[in-house]
Amino acid sequence: MKFSKFITYFFHPINFPIIGSILYFLLIPKFIFKPLEYSMLTLILIGTYIFPFFLLVLLKRFKMIDSFHMSTIEERKFPTLLFISIAYIIGNWLYKSSAVNILALFYFGYMLLLLISYIMLYFNVKISLHTAAVGGLIGFLIYFSYHFKINLILFLAIFFILSGLIASSRLRLQAHKLNEVILGFMIGIFSQFFVYFFYIYII
């Protein structure tokens, strides 16, 4: 049980956007001016981790949520809308920079994921955002590998194993049902694929 709690907290959904961004800059085969890279990562860290973290602290302090995992449907609605806005702002900023279009798609994919999860709340369906977040990262790495023609099998294997650990931890803690865990993972991957193919074949 303690291991499951560790996995749940250490791999909280809030961590995956910055993990994906760091991997992007580490793995991209083309050169990006280092000061630009560091400034982008700093702003991404503030926008997707530090700001949301303090936001969750405030929401918990004012009793709008009981925990950082937002276990009930009603608790999730307002924070999800805020996170949709953050994902859109970061994605739009990155896209306009033109230097990191593929990374921008990563955030648009998370925006779509959160939008789908928000709509599903009104149908009393609470997907696992933990598995959705890791699924989104896996989807991103798949089309990143395809787009730049680089082999990321090792990274994909690691994150697939991690997704299994996260899913089993959420089930063991009885935070989600099996269908919510699987649905979250599939929506996470689908959202990333959708924005990539939209970008390639429509835009």
Side-chain angles (χ1 to χ4, degrees), residues 14 46 49-60 68:
I14 202 175
I46 293 169
Y49 188 85
I50 296 175
F51 175 72
F53 175 77
F54 282 107
L55 178 65
L56 289 174
V57 170
L58 285 174
L59 290 174
K60 192 171 185 297
F68 291 153

Side-chain angles (χ1 to χ4, degrees), residues 24-36:
Y24 174 87
F25 286 112
L26 284 175
L27 299 171
I28 191 169
K30 64 180 183 180
F31 177 77
I32 295 177
F33 190 49
K34 287 299 177 183
L36 176 63

Side-chain angles (χ1 to χ4, degrees), residues 113-180:
L113 154 65
L114 290 165
L115 184 60
I116 293 171
S117 73
Y118 180 77
I119 293 171
M120 294 181 77
L121 292 175
Y122 287 92
F123 294 93
N124 291 319
V125 178
K126 184 190 68 170
I127 67 168
S128 169
L129 293 178
H130 281 77
T131 56
V134 69
L137 180 57
I138 287 171
F140 170 67
L141 289 176
I142 289 172
Y143 69 72
F144 180 92
S145 173
Y146 170 80
H147 188 84
F148 290 109
K149 303 296 186 292
I150 54 178
N151 189 339
L152 295 181
I153 291 296
L154 178 60
F155 286 95
L156 288 169
I158 291 170
F159 283 109
F160 267 111
I161 292 170
L162 179 61
S163 67
L165 287 173
I166 292 171
S168 62
S169 295
R170 300 305 286 159
L171 291 171
R172 186 167 296 178
L173 293 172
Q174 298 183 335
H176 288 284
K177 298 175 182 176
L178 180 61
N179 64 316
E180 294 171 338

